[in-house]
């Protein structure tokens, strides 16, 4: 049973295109995400990675193409419906309720994970189930001690961690993570790398990341996006060996 | 005790003490003023749910205030003239019973809030302000041009509506009734803002994208908030009609919407007791400055400017300091 599940495709993007005026941000992109894997999406600044994530999550409408989630065509569903269907997303630029506490942000995720209209009467912060889910997620990313901090008072890196924690509370079937390591520092990145390595067995991760060390440590597969096009998809060693990729992207990094 | 809780308690006790002392001293006018504070505060409590927690800058809340007022006025006028509102397909008679009037005021303003909210909440920012303003003005011009209920001249309620077991003509008893309703609505709003709904609504005000990403639709939360908000302001309108024993199209005017918003801003947006503090300050200023100068609104304007620029939390914020928003501790 587990062997079968390992090869199951949970997320599939077919022929997705999106233009901003003359700029092709997504150019006939197809990729998939299988059970249990981390599929890294790399590419230079402005390649269209975040634009692609937004289209998968449903917050940006593609010009053409389809998104399939667990065998269902969700192309015409909005971001709310896709979140309910099991897509958990973290944003490149932290997108949190800044005046609320860290715990409240995590509780909001846990509330959403119930997939029903939030109750009007019972005090939510005293809901022990929600609280447990939220605290558990905060513990996993190492924010437990900051639970009662105002989110606006967190450091940049801590906000990135909270992004991940909120996504965890959703218990999604698929994770979309847009540069979760950005701004974390060496130590923070190392912790998150370990964490994501374990997380992928719960739900596969489409991971956008600039930190090449993290990518090559974590990814089962890598796709390289340049000018909105996927120029290569393969295992880390295949990507490392790919001449076109080295020229278009990795080569620049070697020279730094 | 949290500092804000302490301030709220003091405000509540003060609001009770003033009319009681006035009653002991036979100062009817002061009781009436305190009643006015309570009713205007209630209108603000309604708006504060939409404005403070939901971030919905509605300039149309006079619409609900007016609907509540006219619900009282129309029902009472039919009861006074023994002329049923309609006879076919079924008989509906006027009434002077406050509970029935309140229920009608609440239901009617909730329904109008549902309809106008469903449309206006599809917009945001300045467009939302303008569209709520436009809805309010529609009602204003409609009542002016509707001769059946007094048109521009308004409607008089000759005898104050009744409440079982009370003599509502006695100012202190009418005050007590209004005060209890204010407390009940404050309790309801406090519960709402601490609920899951309140958490999500408050988050949607700060970051709509975040709320969508966890699978919650902000539009629904806002519509719910707008409906409850309208219903509370509608109830306040019905009480206001009984306080003055008179309703007129002015209740619907954008000027009224602005005043309700002034109570909220003066007292503290998103603070539970903000509208109470704001309405009290407003009436005190009106009483104190009206004698001094005919142009007291200029001073009010200056005060408002100072609050908006330098004291975002209004009077409550000034006294209690910053809060986390939404009353979640
Ligand atoms: N709403 C928009 N309107 C116009 N152009 C846009 C819009 N969003 C993105 N772009 C452009 O599309 C291109 C792709 O942007 P995107 O943010 O997806 O890149 P990215 O690969 O995520 O880059 P980075 O690594 O810097 O995060 C960029 O040139 C960007 O300026
Ligand atoms: Mg990006």
């Amino acid at each position: 049973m587990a062997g079968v599940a390992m090869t199951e495709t949970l997320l599939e993007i077919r022929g997705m295109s999106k233009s901003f005026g003359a700029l092709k941000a997504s150019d006939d992109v197809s990729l998939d995400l299988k059970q249990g894997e981390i599929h890294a999406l790399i590419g230079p600044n402005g390649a269209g990675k975040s634009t692609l994530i937004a289209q998968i999550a449903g917050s940006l409408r593609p010009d053409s193409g389809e998104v399939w989630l667990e065998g269902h065509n969700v192309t015409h569903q909005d971001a709310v419906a896709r979140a309910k269907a099991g897509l958990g997303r973290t944003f490149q630029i932290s997108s949190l309720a800044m005046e609320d506490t860290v715990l409240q942000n995590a509780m909001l995720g846990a509330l959403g994970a119930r997939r029903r209209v939030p109750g009007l009467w019972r005090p939510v912060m005293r809901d022990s189930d929600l609280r447990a889910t939220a605290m558990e997620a905060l513990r996993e990313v190492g924010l437990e001690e900051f639970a009662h901090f105002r989110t606006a008072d967190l450091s940049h890196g801590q906000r990135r961690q909270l992004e991940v924690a909120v996504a965890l509370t959703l218990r999604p079937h698929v994770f979309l993570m847009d540069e979760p390591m950005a701004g974390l520092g060496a130590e923070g990145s190392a912790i998150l790398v370990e964490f994501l390595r374990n997380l992928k067995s719960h739900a596969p991760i489409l991971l956008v990341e600039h930190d090449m060390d993290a990518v090559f440590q974590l990814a089962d597969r890598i796709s390289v996006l340049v000018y909105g096009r996927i120029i290569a998809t393969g295992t880390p060693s295949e990507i490392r060996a790919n001449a076109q990729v080295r020229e278009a992207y990795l080569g620049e990094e070697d020279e730094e | 005790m949290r500092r804000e809780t302490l301030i709220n308690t003091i405000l509540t006790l003060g609001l009770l003490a003033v009319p009681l002392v006035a009653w002991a001293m036979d100062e009817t006018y002061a009781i009436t003023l305190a009643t006015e504070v309570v009713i205007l505060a209630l209108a603000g409590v309604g708006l504060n749910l939409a404005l403070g927690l939901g971030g919905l800058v509605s300039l149309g809340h006079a619409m609900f205030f007016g609907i509540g007022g006219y619900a009282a006025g129309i029902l009472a006028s039919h009861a006074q003239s023994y002329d049923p509102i309609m006879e076919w397909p079924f008989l509906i008679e006027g009434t002077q019973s406050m509970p029935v009037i309140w229920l009608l005021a609440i239901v009617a303003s909730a329904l109008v809030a549902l309809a106008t909210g469903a449309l206006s909440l599809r917009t945001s920012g300045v467009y939302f302000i303008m569209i709520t303003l436009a809805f309010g003005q529609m009602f204003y011009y409609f009542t002016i041009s509707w001769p059946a209920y007094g048109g521009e001249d308004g409607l008089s309620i000759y005898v104050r509506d009744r409440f079982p077991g009370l003599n509502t003509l006695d100012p202190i008893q009418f005050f007590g009734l209004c005060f209890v309703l204010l407390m009940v609505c404050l309790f309801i709003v406090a519960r709402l803002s601490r609920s899951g709904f309140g958490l999500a609504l408050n988050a949607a005000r700060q970051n709509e994208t975040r709320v969508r990403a966890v699978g919650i639709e902000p539009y629904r939360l806002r519509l719910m908030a707008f409906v409850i908000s309208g219903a509370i302001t509608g109830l306040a309108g019905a009480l206001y009609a009984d306080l003055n024993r008179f309703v007129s199209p002015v209740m619907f005017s954008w000027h009224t919407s602005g005043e309700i918003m002034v109570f909220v801003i003066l007292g503290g947006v998103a603070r539970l007791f903000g509208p109470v503090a704001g309405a009290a300050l407003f009436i005190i200023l009106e009483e104190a400055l009206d004698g001094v100068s005919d142009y007291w609104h200029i001073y009010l304007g200056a005060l408002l400017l100072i609050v908006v620029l330098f004291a975002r939390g209004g009077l409550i914020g000034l006294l209690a300091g910053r809060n986390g928003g939404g009353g979640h501790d």
Side-chain angles (χ1 to χ4, degrees):
Chain A
M1 190 65 203
V4 176
M6 284 300 283
T7 57
E8 193 190 336
T9 298
L10 286 195
L11 177 70
E12 197 179 346
I13 287 88
R14 297 180 187 163
M16 188 170 274
S17 295
K18 176 81 191 176
S19 300
F20 297 115
L23 178 82
K24 282 193 162 179
S26 303
D27 189 358
D28 195 23
V29 175
S30 294
L31 59 79
D32 62 17
L33 186 65
K34 295 186 168 62
Q35 185 72 271
E37 75 167 345
I38 291 182
H39 188 157
L41 185 64
I42 64 173
N45 290 109
K49 304 179 295 293
S50 297
T51 304
L52 192 62
I53 295 285
Q55 291 172 87
I56 300 172
S59 56
L60 186 68
R61 188 180 284 279
D63 296 336
S64 61
E66 290 179 352
V67 181
W68 289 69
L69 181 64
E70 296 184 287
H72 299 286
N73 185 346
V74 297
T75 312
H76 299 290
Q77 295 184 358
D78 65 4
V80 172
R82 291 187 207 186
K84 281 186 183 164
L87 272 183
R89 172 192 192 185
T90 73
F91 294 84
Q92 178 176 3
I93 297 163
S94 299
S95 186
L96 299 159
M98 299 303 275
E99 292 169 25
D100 284 354
T101 65
V102 171
L103 179 61
Q104 283 169 347
N105 272 282
M107 297 273 288
L108 179 71
L111 193 65
R114 285 189 170 163
R115 293 173 169 82
R116 50 181 140 93
V117 182
L120 291 165
W121 200 246
R122 286 182 48 207
V124 67
M125 300 312 284
R126 284 194 224 133
D127 186 320
S128 49
D129 285 352
L130 286 187
R131 222 183 161 97
T133 309
M135 284 308 291
E136 170 72 17
L138 292 179
R139 189 173 312 123
E140 289 191 286
V141 300
L143 277 181
E144 200 182 1
E145 297 147 50
F146 298 91
H148 297 288
F149 275 52
R150 234 166 70 104
T151 304
D153 296 335
L154 292 185
S155 72
H156 178 68
Q158 287 169 326
R159 289 181 204 167
R160 313 290 311 135
Q161 289 171 300
L162 181 52
E163 278 279 330
V164 176
V166 177
L168 288 179
T169 62
L170 296 175
R171 299 190 201 284
H173 307 161
V174 164
F175 282 104
L176 306 173
M177 295 193 179
D178 199 350
E179 302 196 25
M181 321 270 174
L184 278 194
E187 194 194 349
S189 292
I191 294 171
L192 195 56
V193 164
E194 262 337 287
F195 178 69
L196 295 187
R197 206 196 299 282
N198 293 321
L199 185 63
K200 71 176 184 178
S201 64
H202 296 286
I205 306 167
L206 182 63
L207 177 69
V208 173
E209 193 45 68
H210 273 302
D211 179 342
M212 283 308 128
D213 290 338
V215 167
F216 281 96
Q217 280 177 64
L218 279 173
D220 300 289
R221 285 192 296 158
I222 298 173
S223 288
V224 184
L225 195 71
V226 178
Y227 294 121
R229 288 191 75 88
I230 292 193
I231 60 165
T233 296
T235 63
S237 47
E238 284 167 358
I239 294 299
R240 233 192 270 270
N242 186 310
Q244 208 187 347
V245 174
R246 294 183 72 92
E247 187 191 333
Y249 183 48
L250 292 176
E252 304 163 14
E253 301 244 322
D254 286 347
E255 282 154 26
E256 276 175 19
Chain B
M1 202 192 276
R2 272 170 71 228
R3 187 133 156 226
E4 189 169 337
T5 317
L6 181 70
I7 290 162
N8 294 350
T9 311
I10 293 172
L11 259 173
T12 309
L13 293 177
L15 198 54
L16 260 180
V18 169
L20 283 176
V21 169
W23 178 51
M25 294 167 57
D26 222 14
E27 289 278 357
T28 311
Y29 183 61
I31 304 177
T32 304
L33 280 185
T35 313
E36 189 171 358
V37 169
V38 167
I39 294 171
L40 296 180
L42 184 62
V45 168
L47 177 63
N48 203 18
L49 180 63
L51 177 66
L53 202 62
L56 307 173
V57 185
S58 162
L59 254 187
H61 263 54
M63 169 164 66
F64 310 122
F65 197 63
I67 286 169
Y70 271 81
I74 291 173
L75 285 175
S77 78
H78 282 277
Q80 284 159 9
S81 62
Y82 302 102
D83 171 26
I85 294 171
M86 59 190 233
E87 287 172 285
W88 192 89
F90 38 82
L91 181 72
I92 299 183
E93 285 185 281
T95 176
Q96 286 218 281
S97 158
M98 283 188 183
V100 176
I101 288 169
W102 296 346
L103 187 70
L104 190 82
I106 289 171
V107 170
S109 24
L111 286 177
V112 170
L114 184 67
T116 56
L119 291 170
S120 51
L121 287 169
R122 296 189 186 281
T123 67
S124 59
V126 178
Y127 298 100
F128 181 78
I129 300 176
M130 295 319 281
I131 197 167
T132 50
L133 177 67
F135 276 129
Q137 288 302 93
M138 268 170 53
F139 275 90
Y140 175 64
Y141 288 114
F142 177 72
T143 42
I144 281 188
S145 56
W146 194 26
Y149 295 108
E152 212 167 346
D153 299 331
L155 266 178
S156 287
I157 304 172
Y158 300 110
V159 182
R160 187 172 281 159
D161 293 315
R162 287 180 292 269
F163 190 89
L166 291 181
N167 173 12
T168 52
L169 283 170
D170 178 4
I172 196 73
Q173 294 195 34
F174 184 60
F175 169 84
L177 202 57
C178 296
F179 183 82
V180 168
L181 285 178
L182 174 65
M183 290 299 132
V184 168
C185 289
L186 280 170
F187 175 71
I188 291 173
V189 169
R191 286 296 292 229
L192 286 173
S193 52
R194 286 177 151 76
S195 70
F197 162 79
L199 179 73
L201 179 66
N202 190 34
R205 174 180 61 79
Q206 300 168 56
N207 189 336
E208 195 171 305
T209 313
R210 164 44 65 202
V211 176
R212 287 221 171 80
V214 303
I216 298 175
E217 177 56 62
Y219 176 79
R220 279 207 213 169
L221 301 170
R222 289 177 181 148
L223 187 55
M224 178 70 87
F226 197 69
V227 167
I228 300 172
S229 163
I232 295 176
T233 301
L235 175 62
L239 296 175
Y240 197 69
D242 256 324
L243 175 71
N244 299 319
R245 280 179 259 166
F246 175 67
V247 293
S248 82
V250 173
M251 284 184 84
F252 280 111
S253 75
W254 66 270
H255 183 251
T256 303
S257 292
E259 261 183 24
I260 299 174
M261 192 172 288
V262 167
F263 309 145
V264 176
I265 294 172
L266 272 185
V269 176
R271 304 303 184 110
L272 183 61
F273 274 68
V276 181
L281 187 62
F282 186 90
I283 295 296
I284 291 170
L285 282 177
E286 190 174 43
E287 284 304 307
L289 295 177
D290 214 14
V292 180
S293 155
D294 289 340
Y295 304 105
W296 79 276
H297 278 100
I298 295 174
Y299 298 104
L300 178 72
L303 182 68
L304 208 59
L305 212 61
I306 292 170
V307 169
V308 170
L309 290 177
F310 304 110
R312 280 292 176 86
L315 198 59
I316 301 273
L318 213 57
L319 298 171
R322 195 167 79 175
N323 83 350
H328 295 276
D329 319 291

